[in-house]
Amino acid sequence: MKRYAVLIILLCLGCLSQAQTKKEKQVADAVERLRKAMVDADSIALSSLVSPALSYGHSGGHIDDQHEFVTKITSGKSDFVTIDLTAQTISVSKKTAIVRHNLNATTNDGGKPGTVKLHVMLVWQKLHGKWVLLARQAIKLT
């Protein structure tokens, strides 16, 4: 009987360690809203989810500010048809969060179909009570 009690306690502890904190859940929700806004090319949602001080690093080395990032997405110059995020981790320290994930997407940049596979690091900051994207850097997956 003691073995079963110990097993149940260990299983419960394992479940607790896997659970997202409230802040991690808020950040995960912000990441999902950003993913959806990028696919939908929603300028209002994009502008509200990214910091005015945004530093958005592409895998090719170019860095966009907030205006350039939103303009590229909404103009179709950078057109995400689908975005699938996998292997996501979230680490929160006070008002800063680091998110890492793999991004697999189908694109139609400037009318040219393509695919992209990236490993991405996002830095989120809690600003005026909401999480906004402060920085992003991506590298190509092989």
Side-chain angles (χ1 to χ4, degrees):
M1 190 64 149
K2 285 184 180 180
R3 285 185 177 177
Y4 290 116
V6 170
L7 181 60
I8 290 171
I9 291 170
L10 289 174
L11 286 172
C12 288
L13 289 174
C15 290
L16 290 175
S17 68
Q18 296 291 327
Q20 282 187 322
T21 67
K22 182 179 177 181
K23 285 182 181 179
E24 288 169 343
K25 174 88 171 87
Q26 291 171 345
V27 173
D29 290 346
V31 171
E32 175 56 21
R33 287 192 307 275
L34 179 64
R35 185 202 66 78
K36 185 176 181 332
M38 290 173 71
V39 171
D40 295 344
D42 183 338
S43 64
I44 295 169
L46 289 168
S47 295
S48 73
L49 287 164
V50 300
S51 168
L54 178 67
S55 176
Y56 189 92
H58 294 271
S59 61
H62 183 78
I63 298 174
D64 293 342
D65 61 16
Q66 181 196 40
H67 176 75
E68 191 173 13
F69 166 71
V70 172
T71 300
K72 280 183 179 178
I73 297 287
T74 57
S75 71
K77 184 175 181 181
S78 183
D79 183 5
F80 288 95
V81 179
T82 64
I83 298 174
D84 181 35
L85 305 177
T86 59
Q88 183 164 277
T89 62
I90 300 172
S91 174
V92 179
S93 177
K94 297 181 184 179
K95 293 185 176 191
T96 304
I98 296 174
V99 177
R100 295 178 187 272
H101 54 232
N102 294 330
L103 180 148
N104 296 302
T106 55
T107 59
N108 195 30
D109 297 351
K112 182 179 175 187
T115 60
V116 64
K117 293 182 180 195
L118 304 171
H119 185 68
V120 177
M121 182 181 76
L122 305 170
V123 179
W124 291 80
Q125 177 182 45
K126 194 156 193 181
L127 188 62
H128 307 297
K130 70 176 194 164
W131 290 98
V132 294
L133 182 64
L134 180 63
R136 182 247 202 198
Q137 189 57 59
I139 58 171
K140 291 179 183 172
L141 288 173
T142 56

Coordinates of all heavy atoms in Angstrom, one line a residue, residues 1 8 21 29 40-41 45 48 52-53 55 61 67 71 75 100 105 107 113 116 118 120 125 132 140:
M1 N 0.8 -1.2 0.0 CA 0.0 0.0 0.0 C 0.9 1.3 0.0 O 0.5 2.2 -0.7 CB -0.9 0.0 1.2 CG -2.0 1.0 1.2 SD -3.0 0.7 -0.2 CE -4.5 1.3 0.4
I8 N 1.7 7.4 -6.4 CA 0.7 8.5 -6.6 C 1.3 9.9 -6.3 O 1.1 10.8 -7.1 CB -0.6 8.3 -5.8 CG1 -1.3 7.0 -6.4 CG2 -1.5 9.5 -5.8 CD1 -2.5 6.6 -5.5
T21 N 2.9 27.9 -15.5 CA 2.5 29.0 -14.6 C 1.6 29.9 -15.2 O 1.4 29.9 -16.5 CB 3.8 29.8 -14.1 OG1 4.3 30.5 -15.2 CG2 4.8 28.9 -13.5
D29 N -0.2 32.4 -24.8 CA -1.4 33.0 -25.5 C -1.0 34.1 -26.4 O -1.5 34.3 -27.5 CB -2.4 33.5 -24.4 CG -3.1 32.3 -23.7 OD1 -3.0 31.2 -24.1 OD2 -3.7 32.6 -22.7
D40 N -2.9 35.9 -40.7 CA -4.1 36.8 -41.1 C -3.6 38.1 -41.7 O -4.5 38.9 -42.2 CB -5.0 37.0 -40.0 CG -5.7 35.7 -39.5 OD1 -5.7 34.7 -40.2 OD2 -6.3 35.7 -38.4
A41 N -2.4 38.5 -41.5 CA -1.8 39.8 -41.9 C -2.7 40.9 -41.3 O -3.0 41.9 -41.9 CB -1.8 39.9 -43.4
A45 N -3.8 43.9 -34.9 CA -3.3 42.9 -33.9 C -1.8 42.9 -33.9 O -1.2 42.8 -32.8 CB -3.8 41.5 -34.3
S48 N -0.4 45.8 -32.0 CA -0.6 45.7 -30.5 C 0.2 44.7 -29.8 O 0.4 44.7 -28.6 CB -2.1 45.5 -30.3 OG -2.5 44.2 -30.6
P52 N 7.0 49.0 -29.6 CA 7.6 50.1 -30.5 C 9.1 50.0 -30.7 O 9.6 50.4 -31.7 CB 7.2 51.4 -29.8 CG 6.0 51.0 -28.9 CD 6.3 49.5 -28.5
A53 N 9.8 49.3 -29.7 CA 11.2 49.1 -29.8 C 11.6 47.8 -30.4 O 12.7 47.3 -30.2 CB 11.8 49.3 -28.4
S55 N 13.0 44.6 -32.2 CA 14.1 44.2 -33.0 C 13.8 42.8 -33.5 O 13.9 41.8 -32.8 CB 15.4 44.2 -32.2 OG 16.5 43.8 -32.9
G61 N 19.8 37.6 -41.6 CA 20.6 38.6 -41.0 C 19.9 40.0 -40.9 O 20.3 40.9 -40.2
H67 N 7.7 49.1 -37.5 CA 7.0 49.6 -38.7 C 7.3 48.6 -39.8 O 6.4 48.2 -40.6 CB 7.4 51.0 -39.0 CG 6.8 51.5 -40.3 ND1 5.5 51.8 -40.4 CD2 7.4 51.7 -41.5 CE1 5.3 52.2 -41.7 NE2 6.4 52.1 -42.4
T71 N 4.6 46.3 -41.8 CA 4.4 46.6 -43.2 C 4.7 45.4 -44.1 O 4.0 45.2 -45.1 CB 5.3 47.8 -43.6 OG1 4.9 49.0 -42.8 CG2 5.2 48.2 -45.1
S75 N 1.7 43.9 -46.3 CA 1.8 44.2 -47.7 C 1.9 42.9 -48.6 O 1.7 43.0 -49.8 CB 3.0 45.1 -48.0 OG 4.2 44.3 -47.8
R100 N 11.3 29.9 -27.0 CA 12.0 29.2 -28.1 C 11.1 28.2 -28.7 O 10.4 27.5 -28.0 CB 13.3 28.5 -27.5 CG 14.4 29.4 -27.0 CD 15.5 28.6 -26.5 NE 16.5 29.5 -25.8 CZ 17.5 30.1 -26.4 NH1 17.7 30.0 -27.7 NH2 18.3 30.9 -25.7
A105 N 6.7 26.8 -41.8 CA 5.6 27.6 -42.4 C 5.6 27.4 -43.9 O 6.7 27.1 -44.5 CB 5.9 29.1 -42.1
T107 N 4.9 29.7 -47.2 CA 4.9 31.2 -47.5 C 4.4 31.5 -48.9 O 4.4 30.6 -49.7 CB 6.3 31.8 -47.3 OG1 7.2 31.1 -48.1 CG2 6.7 31.6 -45.8
P113 N 5.5 31.1 -53.9 CA 5.3 30.1 -52.9 C 6.6 29.5 -52.4 O 7.6 29.4 -53.1 CB 4.5 29.0 -53.6 CG 3.9 29.6 -54.8 CD 4.9 30.7 -55.2
V116 N 9.5 27.4 -45.1 CA 10.6 27.9 -44.2 C 10.6 27.0 -43.0 O 9.5 26.7 -42.5 CB 10.5 29.4 -43.9 CG1 9.2 29.7 -43.1 CG2 11.7 29.9 -43.2
L118 N 12.6 27.1 -39.3 CA 13.4 27.9 -38.5 C 13.4 27.5 -37.0 O 12.4 27.0 -36.5 CB 13.0 29.4 -38.5 CG 12.9 30.1 -39.9 CD1 12.2 31.4 -39.7 CD2 14.2 30.2 -40.5
V120 N 13.5 29.6 -33.6 CA 13.3 31.0 -33.2 C 13.4 31.2 -31.7 O 13.0 30.4 -30.9 CB 11.9 31.4 -33.7 CG1 11.5 32.8 -33.3 CG2 11.7 31.2 -35.2
Q125 N 8.2 41.2 -23.3 CA 8.2 42.1 -22.2 C 6.8 42.4 -21.7 O 6.0 42.7 -22.6 CB 9.0 43.3 -22.6 CG 9.1 44.4 -21.5 CD 9.8 45.6 -22.0 OE1 9.6 46.1 -23.1 NE2 10.8 46.1 -21.2
V132 N 4.3 42.0 -24.8 CA 4.6 42.4 -26.2 C 5.9 41.9 -26.6 O 6.8 41.7 -25.8 CB 4.5 44.0 -26.3 CG1 3.1 44.5 -26.1 CG2 5.5 44.6 -25.4
K140 N 18.1 29.2 -39.6 CA 17.5 28.1 -40.4 C 17.8 26.8 -39.9 O 18.9 26.5 -39.4 CB 18.1 28.3 -41.9 CG 17.6 29.5 -42.6 CD 18.2 29.6 -44.0 CE 17.7 30.9 -44.6 NZ 18.4 31.2 -45.9

